[in-house]
Amino acid sequence: MPGIYYIREVANHFKNNVVWLNPELIRLEWVPWTRKIISSIMPMYNLTVEGIEEAMDYLRSGGKNQYTTVQMLKGLAY
C-alpha cells in the first residue's frame, strides 16, 4: 500500500487529535503536490518552536476554531 493510505488511516483513527509536523518550512510560493495531499488529510505545521506551539494549541482545543494549513492551501491551483 502507498504511504498516503497509512497517513489516512492514522488521521481517520485519531480524527481531530492528529497533526503533521513538516520538517521543511511551508512556503506558499513552493508547495509540492505531496504537501498539498497530506495537508488536505490532516493539519500541517512547521517543525519549529512556533509551529509546535500552534500544533499544541490545535490539539488542546480538539481541533475546533483553529486556522490550519488546510485552509491556507485550499485556494492554490495545481
Side-chain angles (χ1 to χ4, degrees):
M1 300 299 284
I4 200 71
Y5 169 82
Y6 296 104
I7 291 171
R8 278 194 186 106
E9 288 294 309
V10 168
N12 288 334
H13 179 76
F14 291 104
K15 304 289 181 213
N16 289 331
N17 296 315
V18 64
V19 296
W20 183 275
L21 293 173
N22 198 26
E24 184 177 278
L25 293 180
I26 299 169
R27 296 188 185 115
L28 288 179
E29 64 271 9
W30 189 77
V31 182
W33 183 251
T34 304
R35 186 181 299 154
K36 183 174 179 166
I37 293 171
I38 294 172
S39 68
S40 71
I41 296 170
M42 66 178 67
M44 183 182 291
Y45 296 93
N46 288 322
L47 185 55
T48 61
V49 172
E50 294 82 15
I52 293 170
E53 289 173 348
E54 291 172 10
M56 292 308 298
D57 288 342
Y58 175 85
L59 293 172
R60 278 189 212 105
S61 71
K64 294 179 177 70
N65 303 318
Q66 293 286 319
Y67 180 83
T68 68
T69 53
V70 174
Q71 290 91 358
M72 183 175 67
L73 297 175
K74 274 185 181 175
L76 298 177
Y78 289 90

